[in-house]
Amino acid sequence: MHEREQVVNAAAKQEGVAHQPRLPVHERATEQATSHSSGLTPDDLMSLQRSAGNSAVARTLRTRLPGRTPGPGAGDASAPRTVQRRKPTANAPKEHFATKANDHPEWPLFQELMQKGGFPSEVTENAWQLVLGGLVEQDQLNQESADTSIDPAERRARRASNSWYRELVNLVGDHLRVTTPTMALWSGGFDVSKYAQSKGHTSLEFTRLGKIVDQLELHANWKLQAPLWNVLSRAFVERATGPVHVFLRAYNPDSVLIAQEIPQLRIIQKLNPAVELLWHPLYTNADGTIKEISPNLQLTDDAAYRSRDKCVSVMYNYLLRIHDTNNNAASMAYKEMNELLEGNVNPKAQQDPKPG
């Protein structure tokens, strides 16, 4: 039986309901799909189409045909382990709802947000089924990757190979484009994203699609939703066409920013020199206001560096020399900085910054 059918059936068994296909069947795609030696039966394809539409069928066939390999991210040994988004509250649902999509408590909100965003109802329904199907598949992928006998890189690759989430990007990914002249990436807490937006840049959470996903509580288990943000961030970065401003309040080598987004941008830079990275070291005052750190360790409204090492060095030196340990607003960044220096993760950060 096809792996997607197994996932859906497992969810149905868990939730005590029969699988009720909601989306239309497209006979032309079924005929085309069955012409390939993919190992999928017509019933498998029919079920897949009903659950996620034709794009999921096409992607699944591409990855299952002999000699074909999974799409981007499926074998990336450096897949990030940390995603910085807002975590679920105690009221977040504990079911997947993939087999009863209309019963998910966030379905009315999703419909409303998609309608306000100008999405057709058919796109909304398909996108919602892809999101919920992604939760189910991610649950299975996480369980499979929990096997400690598997190489760590392979385990990360499995967790990052959610094809339902990738199909969501194929369906509505164009709505991840920036709405301002410049793109923003960030690390150090969600209010850094809001700070970047206040400076006239667009971060992922403020794109047309990002705003919608950011307001949803899909599942109580954050590990099922976090990979969706990884997929969205990858697609977001791929749309960079000009300067990209990177805002750092803390440096975490395992963050999506450092482990995924920046390496992507380095590749894009080789193809498009207009994609320039500008790094901003941040510090949060006791009153919650965010400022940037100049080369002479002064707080200012704008301090951009073309070197990541210089940016991190300035930020670390400010935390080491000037940070007030009674300032709780910056305590997390100070704690992370000390942990990294103790582990000798970034020895360059211990050097004194040079002016300019």
Side-chain angles (χ1 to χ4, degrees):
M1 182 181 293
H2 183 262
E3 56 189 3
R4 285 183 182 272
E5 186 73 1
Q6 291 177 323
V7 171
V8 172
N9 285 346
K13 181 178 180 182
Q14 175 182 343
E15 297 172 5
V17 296
H19 181 208
Q20 299 290 336
R22 297 175 55 250
L23 302 181
V25 176
H26 303 284
E27 297 180 359
R28 182 180 59 82
T30 302
E31 294 172 356
Q32 179 181 2
T34 53
S35 67
H36 296 289
S37 55
S38 62
L40 304 179
T41 68
D43 288 343
D44 291 334
L45 291 165
M46 192 78 73
S47 176
L48 177 56
Q49 286 174 317
R50 287 169 174 166
S51 297
N54 286 335
S55 58
V57 174
R59 177 61 61 87
T60 302
L61 286 169
R62 289 197 296 271
T63 59
R64 291 186 54 127
L65 286 174
R68 302 302 293 266
T69 57
D76 183 2
S78 64
R81 293 179 288 273
T82 302
V83 63
Q84 298 183 21
R85 311 294 168 191
R86 288 182 282 192
K87 303 301 187 291
T89 67
N91 297 323
K94 295 179 173 59
E95 294 184 44
H96 301 112
F97 288 95
T99 59
K100 45 182 179 179
N102 289 353
D103 293 338
H104 193 291
E106 296 287 73
W107 169 236
L109 175 60
F110 184 74
Q111 283 182 297
E112 177 185 350
L113 295 174
M114 292 288 280
Q115 183 178 15
K116 289 181 178 178
F119 292 91
S121 59
E122 182 179 355
V123 171
T124 297
E125 291 183 0
N126 279 275
W128 185 240
Q129 192 66 62
L130 287 168
V131 168
L132 298 186
L135 293 177
V136 179
E137 181 170 322
Q138 194 63 50
D139 201 355
Q140 182 177 12
L141 292 171
N142 290 351
Q143 291 179 39
E144 292 173 355
S145 64
D147 184 354
T148 56
S149 66
I150 303 175
D151 179 78
E154 173 62 22
R155 293 168 65 189
R156 292 195 295 272
R158 289 192 184 187
R159 290 195 297 268
S161 63
N162 193 312
S163 57
W164 293 73
Y165 289 159
R166 292 201 303 270
E167 289 304 328
L168 177 66
V169 170
N170 289 343
L171 180 65
V172 290
D174 283 345
H175 300 280
L176 290 169
R177 297 187 183 278
V178 300
T179 56
T180 59
T182 48
M183 175 182 289
L185 303 177
W186 58 274
S187 179
F190 184 72
D191 53 341
V192 176
S193 177
K194 293 190 288 187
Y195 172 81
Q197 182 71 11
S198 72
K199 290 292 185 178
H201 313 292
T202 298
S203 57
L204 173 57
E205 299 77 21
F206 289 93
T207 61
R208 191 178 177 193
L209 178 60
K211 286 180 181 178
I212 294 174
V213 178
D214 187 53
Q215 297 182 59
L216 301 174
E217 281 198 326
L218 298 174
H219 199 277
N221 184 355
W222 176 244
K223 292 182 179 180
L224 303 186
Q225 187 172 344
L228 170 58
W229 280 108
N230 288 356
V231 172
L232 293 178
S233 71
R234 181 183 296 275
F236 177 64
V237 169
E238 287 175 353
R239 286 158 172 79
T241 58
V244 178
H245 291 258
V246 184
F247 295 87
L248 288 177
R249 186 165 57 184
Y251 180 80
N252 183 350
D254 286 337
S255 67
V256 168
L257 171 66
I258 301 302
Q260 174 177 297
E261 294 172 337
I262 297 304
Q264 279 184 268
L265 282 172
R266 296 302 187 192
I267 296 174
I268 295 174
Q269 278 185 301
K270 295 179 180 179
L271 303 175
N272 184 1
V275 179
E276 177 186 15
L277 272 63
L278 298 171
W279 299 78
H280 299 255
L282 307 180
Y283 182 79
T284 307
N285 289 313
D287 63 359
T289 58
I290 296 178
K291 291 290 186 177
E292 303 189 19
I293 308 171
S294 70
N296 59 353
L297 303 186
Q298 299 296 312
L299 296 182
T300 182
D301 291 331
D302 184 28
Y305 301 80
R306 286 180 167 81
S307 164
R308 181 194 68 177
D309 288 346
K310 183 60 182 261
C311 169
V312 174
S313 176
V314 167
M315 179 178 63
Y316 279 178
N317 273 279
Y318 187 91
L319 290 169
L320 282 168
R321 299 180 179 186
I322 302 176
H323 167 68
D324 181 359
T325 55
N326 293 319
N327 178 5
N328 293 328
S331 61
M332 184 59 69
Y334 180 74
K335 178 177 179 291
E336 291 184 2
M337 176 272 298
N338 275 310
E339 290 175 350
L340 287 174
L341 290 182
E342 288 174 2
N344 201 30
V345 173
N346 191 1
K348 289 185 178 181
Q350 302 180 63
Q351 302 175 1
D352 291 340
K354 298 178 181 179

